[in-house]
Amino acid sequence: MSNPNIPYLKDPLGNEHLLAVAVTRLGRAVENEIVILSNRASREHAHIRRDGRKVFLEDMKSTNGTLLNGQRLTGSAQLRDGDEIAIGEVSFVFRDPDTTTRETPFPELEVSLASGEARLNRRLLSLSPKEFALLFYLYENRGKVCSKDEIGRAVWSEYQSGIFDYQIENLVRRLRAKIEIDPAAPVLLLTVRGRGYKLAR
């Protein structure tokens, strides 16, 4: 690459498409900076716009939509290193070389009881009902140490006779495997020795 500080898109073949101009157009038409060979792509499907250090993706009212991390994009959204963009059958990964020189940001966790969804850095997590129940309880009480008894009552409310410690420990271990970059060195779901567990921040 000619400039290691310019963000780029990596396509499925490993090719890197530099986002060197203020607005990079993606679509089926040959006039676009990035041409997408898909019948499901509109002629001018989406724009990627640079605003200083920030980079934004905008769907240009395409027929079939633009997916960002598996979700259809409405309006525009700021891109982050590692985001996945799908247009038609073609997927790209957004890479921002600047982020590798900065301190790793704290994971961004969102949990919604209304939708029954949990997202980590905007990516939808695939959780079992018990994993979601545990995460939601800790999320509602984030920063607070939750004892195993409290977790047992919240997550296994259908059982009146009590829950064994190993059941809670196994559930915590499974959840950590899905929300932690390194489950052996957790930064989100923390163990407080002798007291229980808490969700950071």
Side-chain angles (χ1 to χ4, degrees), residues 23-28 32-34 36 41-49 56-62 65-67 73 75 85-87:
V23 177
T24 300
R25 298 167 299 170
L26 300 88
R28 203 173 70 245
N32 293 296
E33 282 74 27
I34 299 177
I36 297 174
S42 297
R43 287 184 59 79
E44 191 168 331
H45 196 105
H47 286 177
I48 292 179
R49 178 170 47 84
F56 296 87
L57 172 67
E58 183 178 3
D59 182 81
M60 302 307 292
K61 298 182 180 177
S62 62
T66 302
L67 298 185
L73 179 67
I85 300 166
I87 295 176

Side-chain angles (χ1 to χ4, degrees), residues 7-132:
Y8 61 92
L9 297 184
K10 181 173 277 192
D11 67 25
L13 298 177
N15 299 312
E16 297 176 358
H17 304 268
L18 286 175
L19 304 172
V21 294
V23 177
T24 300
R25 298 167 299 170
L26 300 88
R28 203 173 70 245
V30 295
E31 295 83 10
N32 293 296
E33 282 74 27
I34 299 177
V35 178
I36 297 174
L37 302 176
S38 169
N39 290 331
R40 299 188 70 245
S42 297
R43 287 184 59 79
E44 191 168 331
H45 196 105
H47 286 177
I48 292 179
R49 178 170 47 84
R50 294 182 63 187
D51 183 1
R53 287 178 173 265
K54 296 179 180 179
V55 182
F56 296 87
L57 172 67
E58 183 178 3
D59 182 81
M60 302 307 292
K61 298 182 180 177
S62 62
T63 302
N64 293 303
T66 302
L67 298 185
L68 177 61
N69 298 323
Q71 292 289 111
R72 185 159 180 162
L73 179 67
T74 55
S76 66
Q78 184 178 344
L79 291 173
R80 299 172 188 170
D81 185 60
D83 277 349
E84 294 178 7
I85 300 166
I87 295 176
E89 300 82 15
V90 182
S91 295
F92 300 91
V93 177
F94 173 72
R95 289 297 179 196
D96 182 359
D98 265 358
T99 60
T100 60
T101 63
R102 295 197 293 266
E103 192 176 319
T104 303
F106 195 80
E108 182 183 326
L109 188 64
E110 303 169 78
V111 185
S112 169
L113 184 62
S115 65
E117 292 181 345
R119 295 176 181 278
L120 184 65
N121 295 333
R122 299 192 300 184
R123 295 173 189 273
L124 189 64
L125 295 170
S126 177
L127 301 176
S128 71
K130 290 299 184 197
E131 289 165 353
F132 180 82

Side-chain angles (χ1 to χ4, degrees), residues 134-182:
L134 172 60
L135 181 59
F136 180 75
Y137 178 72
L138 293 172
Y139 186 78
E140 286 289 281
N141 294 279
R142 54 191 179 278
K144 171 182 175 290
V145 179
C146 301
S147 70
K148 288 181 178 178
D149 284 345
E150 290 170 329
I151 290 171
R153 286 193 297 271
V155 177
W156 285 273
S157 56
E158 69 273 23
Y159 297 139
Q160 301 301 321
S161 57
I163 297 298
F164 294 107
D165 283 0
Y166 78 86
Q167 292 174 278
I168 296 171
E169 291 160 4
N170 285 343
L171 184 60
V172 167
R173 187 163 53 249
R174 293 202 305 271
L175 182 58
R176 272 196 181 127
K178 295 185 177 181
I179 69 172
E180 300 284 2
I181 294 173
D182 180 3

